Amino acid sequence: MIGTLATLVATSPGLLARVGASALQVVAVCVGGPLLLGLMGKIRSRAEGRVGPPITQGLLDLRKLVRKEAIRAEHTSAVAALAPLVLVSSAALCAAITPLVTARPVIAGGADVFAVVYLLLMGSVALALGGLDAGTAFGGMGSSRAMTVGAISEPALLVAVLALAIQAHTSNLPGIVNASLSHPEWLASPQRLLALAALVVVVIAETGRIPVDNPSTHLELTMIHEAMILEYAGPDLALVTVGEAMRLGLLLGLVANLFFPWGIDASGGGLAMLVGLVALGAKTAAIAASVALVEVSTAKLRLFRVPELLAGGFVLAAVAVTTGLVAR
Amino acid sequence: MSTAAYFIGLGAASAAALLGAVLPARRRLLAAAVLSAAACLAALVGAGDVLVSGHAFSVHTAQVLPLTGVDLSLDPLGALFVAATAVVGLAVSCYSVGYGVHATPSRIATATLPAFLATLLLVPAAASVATFMVAWELMALTSLLALLTDHRRRRETRDAAQWYAAMTHIGAAAILLGLVLLAAHAGGQSFAAIAAHRRQLSLPLTSVVFVLTLFGFASKAGAVPLHVWLPRAHPEAPSPVSALMSGAMVNLGVYGILRVGEDLLGGGEMWWWLVVAALGVVSAVFGALHAAASTDTKRLLAYSTVDNVGLVLIGVGAAGALAAGGQQALAGLVLLAALFHLVNHALFKGCLFLGAGALQHAAGTRDLDRLGGLARKMPATAIFFGAGALSISALPGLNGFASEWLLFEGLLQGFASRSAVTVAALLAGVATLAITGGLTATAFVKALGVGFLGQPRSEGAGAAREVGPSMLIGMGFLAGGCVVLGIVPGVVLPVIDRATTAGLVAGASRAIRPGLGLALASVHSEIDPGLLVGGLLVALVVAWGAVRLAPRSAELRSPRRAAAWGCGRDLQTARMEITATSFAEPLQRVFADVLRPDHDLEVTHTAESRYFPEAITFHQRVDDAVERVVYRPVMAAVAWWGHLARRVPNGSVHRYLAFGFATLVLVLVVLA
Amino acid sequence: MQLRHVDAGSCNGCEIEIAQAFAPVCDAGRFGARLVASPRHADGLLVTGVVTKNMAVPLQMTFEATPRPRVVVACGDCAVNGGLFAGAYGVAGSVHDVVPVDVEIPGCPPEPSEITEALRRLTGR
Ligand code: SF4
């Protein structure tokens, strides 16, 4: 690792700029994720005829949570303390290497589809283990359900992005984004549309939105994701919340840039990055708004109907890949 | 040097077996362990030398086996398997000291472990049909003996041994048939002679040979549908033996496929390799599903072996198909990935089986439903088992991720292939990789979370204590290997790459760029796990610091310990915790079509009213569907046939004389 | 301000009013108040009803499970001083007999606007 770092420093004068760009992406996701959640909540409230909490409520709640006391259940091991940290740091690393604001490879040797999917899996595994640590009935139930949903949605995510990777002849995410920038005709190709549909299903499942999971339920038996985190309080809860919001922002940003790459900073330079940031915000906000609108008008699926939806997503992704291969 | 080191290794392992058999109870365990560890070290040096230098050695002695003599030769392909075995063997030898401390194993048990190890080291070096079959059968025999260690105490052990014996001998018979056929037509039984004459062999013949040997080797590797012995034998064998079986023996099935298909037969037809890849796809998905549904630690690990062997076979099959289609460099890359995964699997599965042994040792049960809460009682075991479990779930920074990434990239590059069938196979391979990824993570979150976290669910688990240092060193060695290969995978790739140069596949030396991370030369695809781990650590520290430094009144600084939130119930017991069965339940329901669980719900009502149940019992078991659908009918048919045949010999001498006479007449009629 | 609602023995009248406080007309949510599923996530408890003997321990446990700083809101006459049920059979007392109360919302049941008003005082908006 040190050797690689040394070569990085030696070969790329713009290392600082790169690190700066990835830090910007992390901060953007860190702040943007909770804002996107706030936006979705706002749209939901408006659709229900309420004013609803302000969009910044999520950030305000975070500020409050880190100042509160942390509570750990007796008999928990180090896992309970580590899980929120791992969730956040895996999401942050994902945000650093994914082309969100800039399509230049931020960290050479990391921005890979496979890496992003498995980093997300790392967060899920950490959260699931955290849910099991306190030994409560609902924590374990939530872990079991979340892993079941994840076991079907992660493959769908990988295969859906694979459809794009085959088209672009690389599994490197900036490579895919740059290739789609120079081939605008790809964006309407059938495999892209199918992959988009599959990805939307995955994003809904991964972020625990209706119809897969209901983030605002109070009934433990109906919970998936919420049940795992019933035990976290104060700063731990702040980490989990921000981690989850970051994953949402990240996935929405990924969908936005893979399918609508316009506006992303492809050349470098401060202004281009600013444009990239604004474009990212606008695109993710648009997708978040449509997800929220769908959410208001749908009912949550029964738990054992969820896998069918996800399997549908996986099949869509597989069809996307096949279409891509046939169309060559 | 390599020759001497290798033979010292073989000799030391045999000496360990001998000492284990003759020394008195107090000494034999330690003597056997020390000698077999030395044997592994020596073999590792020998094999490492072959791998690094790329020079094979060969030895022929006429003295040892009558008629044919013994041919031994270690080329880089064989050396890779010897090295993998030696690494697992080293950990197992160390571990076996602590494992046997409480109840000193019998002489035979002490002797069989090093003997098994010796045969494992021997098989990859066998260089003629006769030597190979002798070594192979010795391996089958010693592993069977090692499996039977506990047969006095457990009925299931005998059952498992019968399955194993039957499967392994059907397989050995098929291999023998195939190799003899090959030797007969190739004008010699040494592997070198066969490889030299392969161009003169007709295609139907080579195909028959390949299919026969594939059957045999796949049954050793545990590919579905020939895997049935694995989930029985692995749990019943003592843990050091299961670690060797899963970490080293199943590899040799893959070795056999490569040796015969690529080396002796020179690659052959594309469909051969598509069959291999298909076996891999089926094994991987089936194994991963069963692993996710299993509640017995070692059964879970056994099925996960089926899964990982499947992934390796996908790589081997894809490499063969690409090579047959003329894409040598790509084939080399995919094969490199497959072999890398195989090495990694040896490391993490060895570690996990040793960990499972430690659990059983400490808590007295392998049943995840009855474990729990062990992370606080056995922290070191928990860390090592956790490292293995997270590696096998392919989390970044650990070795499973590195090899799965390489396999994924290799398959992805193969999509440029012109052959539609190959592309379809690659697609199936990638989809399988994706599906098994999620399922494996579920299975191992279950093993780790339900087994080690939460509260103990049985007295045994409650009384568990950390195992001794020798067992921990054994596990820690393999866990450390997982971490090192996960962070700097680039250091071993050139070594493994030497092994891919066997036969037709040209080797991947030009397909990967040297370095500590992983990078493909031809396309812009690279990954540096070290950098990822570094980034992760930085993020972790920043997040931790941000939370620590948040302004907070002094009394709220440190976390408070409170009773777990149980929704206000004042009685929280471990019985309310989730068990492995309930953890797996949703997934089992989703995949009920493949897993076919048996449910049994019995409700007895009170005498007064049917509305009030008195007792409810629920049983559930997930049997192997392949075993039920394929093997049970065959076994029933054989048993039926045996019953029929029993009527023939009824003890009457007259009848036997009549049979003899009838046979004689029949023979004469046929001859006339 | 996140609140965990605890029904310590209410007649459900207060619950109906609380639901109304979060419904479109009053919309306590817009001032940053929210009901959550776990006391660990909460900044306080919203307790309704008189505390029955069976609910005294769970109420105490829920209070313990809430991270500090925390507040307790007693909603409705029953919660404040026992109301209709003061001294009745099976009653352990009002909320402040079990846990320290910070905010009281009198009324049987209190109006949604009164509940919202009290919550606004807590969120400071
Ligand atoms: S205060 Fe009135 S409405 Fe509320 S619980 Fe008591 S009796 Fe019911």
Side-chain angles (χ1 to χ4, degrees):
Chain A
M1 189 185 103
I2 295 165
T4 339
L5 274 181
T7 40
L8 252 180
V9 174
T11 51
S12 58
L15 179 72
L16 260 184
R18 287 188 186 189
V19 172
S22 58
L24 174 72
Q25 297 202 126
V26 176
V27 173
V29 169
C30 210
V31 177
L35 285 181
L36 285 174
L37 275 177
L39 176 72
M40 289 168 88
K42 193 80 183 170
I43 290 173
R44 218 194 138 88
S45 316
R46 284 294 161 123
E48 288 171 354
R50 295 185 287 125
V51 177
I55 291 177
T56 51
Q57 186 67 46
L59 290 173
L60 297 175
D61 283 348
L62 282 178
R63 197 186 62 183
K64 175 202 72 192
L65 281 175
V66 291
R67 292 174 175 179
K68 287 188 67 120
E69 170 192 47
I71 300 185
R72 307 253 162 80
E74 51 196 9
H75 311 305
T76 52
S77 62
V79 172
L82 271 174
L85 285 169
V86 172
L87 176 74
V88 169
S89 44
S90 65
L93 184 58
C94 267
I97 62 179
T98 319
L100 293 172
V101 174
T102 166
R104 289 170 304 151
V106 179
I107 296 181
D112 192 272
V113 176
F114 203 72
V116 170
V117 170
Y118 277 84
L119 278 174
L120 286 175
L121 181 68
M122 182 186 256
S124 315
V125 166
L127 212 52
L129 287 176
L132 284 163
D133 201 12
T136 57
F138 289 123
M141 184 201 73
S143 299
S144 157
R145 290 179 176 178
M147 286 311 290
T148 305
V149 170
I152 315 175
S153 72
E154 307 258 346
L157 173 61
L158 191 60
V159 176
V161 186
L162 180 70
L164 313 188
I166 290 175
Q167 202 174 29
H169 293 292
T170 174
S171 65
N172 188 278
L173 284 170
I176 297 177
V177 171
N178 281 323
S180 12
L181 271 178
S182 46
H183 295 274
E185 76 277 5
W186 281 0
L187 301 173
S189 60
Q191 71 252 47
R192 287 247 164 181
L193 298 178
L194 285 165
L196 176 62
L199 264 184
V200 168
V201 172
V202 170
V203 169
I204 287 175
E206 285 281 308
T207 55
R209 315 298 305 186
I210 293 176
V212 172
D213 190 5
N214 180 0
S216 52
T217 179
H218 296 164
L219 191 58
E220 286 90 350
L221 275 176
T222 65
M223 291 175 179
I224 298 181
H225 167 255
E226 201 77 359
M228 278 191 292
I229 64 168
L230 283 176
E231 201 56 51
Y232 292 115
D236 291 337
L237 182 64
L239 285 173
V240 171
T241 320
V242 80
E244 285 299 320
M246 286 170 80
R247 281 159 74 99
L248 173 85
L250 186 75
L251 282 167
L252 291 185
L254 197 62
V255 171
N257 281 345
L258 285 178
F259 294 94
F260 317 101
W262 304 288
I264 193 166
D265 157 34
S267 56
L271 190 66
M273 280 218 298
L274 197 65
V275 173
L277 192 60
V278 173
L280 178 73
K283 285 183 286 188
T284 49
I287 303 178
S290 33
V291 170
L293 282 178
V294 173
E295 242 187 346
V296 185
S297 49
T298 348
K300 187 186 165 303
L301 280 177
R302 251 183 65 207
L303 182 67
F304 288 103
R305 280 286 133 92
V306 170
E308 292 172 18
L309 176 76
L310 291 172
F314 184 78
V315 170
L316 274 178
V319 174
V321 174
T322 322
T323 326
L325 288 172
V326 171
R328 271 188 316 168
Chain B
M1 184 192 91
S2 52
T3 326
Y6 177 73
F7 281 104
I8 290 173
L10 277 188
S14 318
L18 200 66
L19 286 184
V22 300
L23 281 184
R26 247 174 307 127
R27 308 252 179 75
R28 64 177 172 236
L29 195 63
L30 196 62
V34 170
L35 265 179
S36 34
C40 291
L41 270 180
L44 189 60
V45 169
D49 190 43
V50 170
L51 278 173
V52 172
S53 70
H55 296 305
F57 69 77
S58 45
V59 176
H60 175 85
T61 62
Q63 274 84 38
V64 184
L65 272 187
L67 296 179
T68 61
V70 168
D71 291 280
L72 290 178
S73 157
L74 200 61
D75 62 355
L77 180 64
L80 180 69
F81 287 84
V82 170
T85 303
V87 170
V88 179
L90 197 56
V92 166
S93 310
C94 188
Y95 178 93
S96 64
V97 177
Y99 193 74
V101 152
H102 293 305
T104 311
S106 67
R107 282 171 197 284
I108 299 182
T110 322
T112 44
L113 189 66
F116 180 29
L117 191 59
T119 58
L120 286 171
L121 294 173
L122 185 63
V123 168
S128 71
V129 171
T131 318
F132 184 83
M133 285 317 298
V134 169
W136 189 262
E137 281 300 292
L138 278 177
M139 177 176 82
L141 206 65
T142 49
S143 57
L144 185 62
L145 280 177
L147 163 61
L148 275 168
T149 306
D150 280 337
H151 77 103
R152 276 175 209 280
R153 261 171 288 153
R154 301 175 54 84
R155 223 195 87 75
E156 295 89 342
T157 308
R158 270 168 270 165
D159 204 30
Q162 275 174 4
W163 275 92
Y164 175 54
M167 292 307 295
T168 198
H169 280 97
I170 294 172
I175 297 172
L176 182 63
L177 206 60
L179 289 184
V180 165
L181 210 60
L182 188 60
H185 286 85
Q189 60 113 9
S190 83
F191 283 175
I194 295 175
H197 286 86
R198 65 170 169 236
R199 297 208 186 288
Q200 288 136 33
L201 300 173
S202 69
L203 185 60
L205 177 81
T206 52
S207 296
V208 168
V209 169
F210 184 76
V211 170
L212 278 173
T213 52
L214 176 62
F215 178 84
F217 289 128
S219 80
K220 189 56 98 185
V224 175
L226 304 168
H227 67 286
V228 281
W229 63 272
L230 245 127
R232 289 170 178 272
H234 281 30
E236 290 306 327
S239 285
V241 178
S242 350
L244 275 183
M245 280 186 162
S246 224
M249 191 173 75
V250 296
N251 294 354
L252 295 183
V254 177
Y255 166 77
I257 295 173
L258 280 172
R259 175 64 76 197
V260 172
E262 291 291 3
D263 186 25
L264 299 188
L265 300 178
E269 289 286 285
M270 187 182 282
W271 67 262
W272 297 4
W273 301 103
L274 294 177
V275 171
V276 174
L279 277 181
V281 167
V282 175
S283 308
V285 174
F286 190 82
L289 270 176
H290 266 283
S294 302
T295 56
D296 175 326
T297 328
K298 286 173 86 177
R299 194 176 154 90
L300 184 156
L301 294 178
Y303 272 117
S304 137
T305 299
V306 174
D307 163 17
N308 280 279
V309 162
L311 293 184
V312 172
L313 288 182
I314 288 175
V316 167
L322 286 169
Q327 285 169 298
Q328 301 295 332
L330 207 50
L333 177 65
V334 178
L335 188 57
L336 173 68
L339 290 180
F340 187 28
H341 192 66
L342 185 131
V343 169
N344 288 338
H345 176 245
L347 289 177
F348 50 62
K349 195 51 71 61
C351 174
L352 286 166
F353 265 115
L354 296 185
L359 285 188
Q360 193 171 5
H361 206 264
T365 177
R366 315 187 294 257
D367 187 355
L368 282 173
D369 285 349
R370 302 170 56 76
L371 292 170
L374 296 176
R376 275 168 297 121
K377 300 184 186 291
M378 318 168 65
T381 306
I383 289 174
F384 298 147
F385 191 89
L390 300 180
S391 301
I392 203 169
S393 311
L395 294 194
L398 294 161
N399 60 353
F401 174 75
S403 51
E404 288 199 17
W405 180 83
L406 203 60
L407 192 56
F408 177 78
E409 282 303 319
L411 297 178
L412 194 61
Q413 298 309 318
F415 281 117
S417 162
R418 302 224 170 281
S419 149
V421 202
T422 311
V423 170
L426 295 176
L427 181 57
V430 173
T432 308
L433 203 58
I435 293 174
T436 55
L439 290 174
T440 307
T442 312
F444 282 91
V445 164
K446 178 181 68 188
L448 196 56
V450 177
F452 285 90
L453 306 180
Q455 303 260 26
R457 283 179 299 273
S458 68
E459 266 175 39
R465 261 186 291 133
E466 185 64 280
V467 293
S470 74
M471 289 169 81
L472 289 181
I473 293 172
M475 288 185 267
F477 175 61
L478 293 177
C482 293
V483 176
V484 171
L485 289 198
I487 295 179
V488 284
V491 294
V492 290
L493 286 187
V495 178
I496 297 176
D497 187 38
R498 294 250 188 231
T500 63
T501 8
L504 244 187
V505 175
S509 44
R510 265 162 290 126
I512 48 162
R513 268 188 272 145
L516 294 178
L518 301 165
L520 305 190
S522 53
V523 284
H524 185 71
S525 273
E526 58 182 329
I527 202 149
D528 189 339
L531 215 56
L532 289 184
V533 171
L536 209 57
L537 288 179
V538 170
L540 203 87
V541 170
V542 170
W544 182 78
V547 165
R548 280 298 294 190
L549 298 181
R552 206 175 304 157
S553 60
E555 45 162 350
L556 306 183
R557 283 252 155 246
S558 52
R560 169 161 67 100
R561 289 271 172 187
W565 172 238
C567 305
R569 270 189 307 265
D570 46 2
L571 186 72
Q572 280 268 29
T573 68
R575 288 206 49 177
M576 294 175 185
E577 254 183 293
I578 196 153
T579 60
T581 310
S582 25
F583 191 91
E585 206 268 348
L587 206 74
Q588 212 172 75
R589 246 203 236 202
V590 176
F591 292 100
D593 288 345
V594 185
L595 292 171
R596 301 178 175 275
D598 280 335
H599 300 294
D600 205 359
L601 184 67
E602 266 176 50
V603 184
T604 38
H605 300 280
T606 53
E608 293 89 48
S609 160
R610 282 199 45 83
Y611 295 108
F612 298 103
E614 185 160 38
I616 302 178
T617 50
F618 177 75
H619 290 282
Q620 171 174 295
R621 40 184 299 138
V622 183
D623 283 335
D624 197 307
V626 171
E627 188 182 312
R628 189 160 40 185
V629 176
V630 181
Y631 288 81
R632 294 279 169 206
V634 171
M635 281 159 58
V638 170
W640 176 77
W641 183 246
H643 262 298
L644 268 194
R646 271 232 312 252
R647 289 198 208 142
V648 181
N650 63 350
S652 137
V653 178
H654 300 107
R655 202 188 256 208
Y656 294 161
L657 284 175
F659 285 147
F661 182 67
T663 318
L664 190 64
V665 170
L666 203 70
V667 170
L668 287 176
V669 168
V670 171
L671 289 181
Chain C
M1 172 61 64
Q2 270 77 300
L3 292 167
R4 160 80 194 195
H5 170 223
V6 180
D7 175 349
S10 120
C11 78
N12 263 355
C14 285
E15 274 69 24
I16 294 174
E17 304 304 320
I18 290 174
Q20 287 313 307
F22 286 90
V25 175
C26 288
D27 192 12
R30 73 193 136 125
F31 305 112
R34 190 156 61 92
L35 295 181
V36 290
S38 165
R40 293 273 203 263
H41 302 182
D43 306 305
L45 305 181
L46 180 60
V47 191
T48 54
V50 69
V51 182
T52 59
K53 285 185 176 151
N54 281 341
M55 280 304 288
V57 174
L59 177 60
Q60 180 65 41
M61 289 176 70
T62 315
F63 181 70
E64 280 304 316
T66 314
R68 291 171 292 176
R70 57 196 169 194
V71 294
V72 174
V73 184
C75 175
D77 279 349
C78 289
V80 174
N81 55 22
L84 277 178
F85 299 107
Y89 161 80
V91 167
S94 62
V95 176
H96 72 81
D97 296 329
V98 183
V99 290
V101 173
D102 302 275
V103 178
E104 296 185 338
I105 312 176
C108 178
E111 298 248 321
S113 57
E114 287 165 9
I115 298 175
T116 311
E117 187 54 40
L119 294 183
R120 265 186 90 171
R121 248 181 289 140
L122 280 175
T123 63
R125 271 196 265 160

